[in-house]
Amino acid sequence: NITTGLPLSTNFYADQPYLTPTHDGGLLCVVTTGLGHEGMPGQHVRAMKTFDLGHTWRNIVPVEDPEGPESSWGVPFTHPSGRVFVFYIHNTDDLREAPADDPPYPGGVTRRMDSLGHFVFRWSDDHGKSWSAERGTIPVRAFEIDRLNPTGGDVRLFWNVGLPFAVGDSLYLPLHKVGGFGEGWFTSSEGALLRSPDFLAVSDPLAAAWETLPHGDRGIRAPSGGGPIAEEHSFTTLSDGSFFTVFRTIDGHPACAYSRDKGRSWGPSQPMQFATGRPMKH
């Protein structure tokens, strides 16, 4: 019953509010917001704090300047030290157009700039009151889908909704690679994981090492016959140490996949099913 809910402090558009507990006893919320519709200039990642489960909000600050290049799809992570990170997609190069299918984009150009650029992060050492002047950029290895995009991989097309998760000494970040812009916005997509073996240990987060998983040239794709879209991957770890992911397709059914080697490889994707074998619907 949405009438019992408590609104966040956002602009006209708001998407993907995520919470992480902070070491001062509060909850930090990160949300993608803007004065216009989704993808319009001014879209940015905002942070805010609550100490009373969302009844009131304080320290409402932008993680990126709303007047700067688009920043989108932020996900938070509280480090064991208490430092808080936000990872997000940033149009760092301030691109104003990108190639797209015609139709539906006249002239084969889109000016929506919220799903391309670089995967970056900032951090807070005061539980979300302020954010670092430095912005870290995470290197992402190219897959086939990147090299075949309309820019030949010169510009990376991607986004993310999956939360970071730690396993042992490693931190994992989900990422959804995109093959092009067209009808329905994305023409193809697949899932990947970014793993840092030392992000939890290094004092300087800019010095952390990263690798892109799975190994090879293909990400986590839809089941055979399930269409070209596989995105919004969310991950969890199972009791035997396996990784499990569930994600969206466009054939009417969510899909899932398992990794038995910490994301280095994945078994065949399959539709989510009930115990009877009947496929779940979106």
Side-chain angles (χ1 to χ4, degrees):
N1 186 349
I2 199 169
T3 61
T4 67
L6 300 169
L8 302 174
S9 174
T10 61
N11 295 131
F12 171 75
Y13 167 74
D15 206 348
Q16 287 183 226
Y18 285 118
L19 296 169
T20 189
T22 50
H23 285 202
D24 61 352
L27 282 171
L28 177 75
C29 179
V30 173
V31 64
T32 299
T33 189
L35 292 172
H37 291 281
E38 180 181 78
M40 293 185 67
Q43 185 167 294
H44 66 283
V45 175
R46 172 184 289 187
M48 63 193 84
K49 284 289 292 295
T50 181
F51 288 90
D52 55 11
L53 301 180
H55 288 273
T56 59
W57 295 93
R58 64 180 73 173
N59 306 132
I60 302 169
V61 294
V63 178
E64 285 283 350
D65 183 358
E67 301 298 321
E70 294 84 348
S71 60
S72 309
W73 327 128
V75 290
F77 176 76
T78 301
H79 191 279
S81 68
R83 175 176 278 178
V84 183
F85 290 87
V86 178
F87 303 90
Y88 52 97
I89 283 73
H90 187 245
N91 179 18
T92 309
D93 302 317
D94 199 15
L95 303 177
R96 291 299 105 204
E97 61 181 42
D101 290 352
D102 181 6
Y105 294 95
V109 171
T110 178
R111 292 177 176 83
R112 177 176 171 176
M113 299 287 107
D114 63 342
S115 301
L116 54 77
H118 301 270
F119 203 21
V120 305
F121 61 91
R122 291 188 192 267
W123 61 91
S124 173
D125 287 321
D126 54 13
H127 313 294
K129 296 183 180 70
S130 62
W131 296 90
S132 61
E134 302 94 339
R135 182 196 304 121
T137 299
I138 299 174
V140 181
R141 179 171 58 87
F143 286 4
E144 177 186 61
I145 192 172
D146 300 305
R147 294 190 296 273
L148 294 180
N149 80 28
T151 74
D154 292 339
V155 178
R156 299 295 180 84
L157 317 179
F158 68 103
W159 71 304
N160 171 53
V161 304
L163 286 169
F165 61 99
V167 176
D169 296 329
S170 297
L171 180 69
Y172 292 84
L173 301 174
L175 183 144
H176 323 317
K177 290 173 174 280
V178 170
F181 302 135
E183 189 66 40
W185 185 221
F186 300 140
T187 57
S188 63
S189 56
E190 61 189 40
L193 274 175
L194 304 177
R195 170 185 174 262
S196 174
D198 58 1
F199 191 86
L200 301 178
V202 296
S203 58
D204 179 6
L206 300 177
W210 293 92
E211 66 172 331
T212 307
L213 303 174
H215 293 162
D217 218 25
R218 294 166 56 118
I220 306 167
R221 298 185 177 184
S224 178
I229 297 298
E231 58 193 59
E232 303 194 358
H233 297 71
S234 293
F235 295 83
T236 191
T237 55
L238 306 182
S239 58
D240 66 351
S242 298
F243 289 2
F244 174 79
T245 183
V246 59
F247 54 95
R248 178 167 63 84
T249 71
I250 56 171
D251 72 347
H253 305 284
C256 62
Y258 297 85
S259 172
R260 310 298 183 184
D261 56 6
K262 300 293 190 292
R264 296 174 179 86
S265 64
W266 291 82
S269 299
Q270 54 191 296
M272 288 278 285
Q273 298 180 356
F274 293 99
T276 61
R278 180 168 62 91
M280 296 180 183
K281 294 183 178 180
H282 274 316

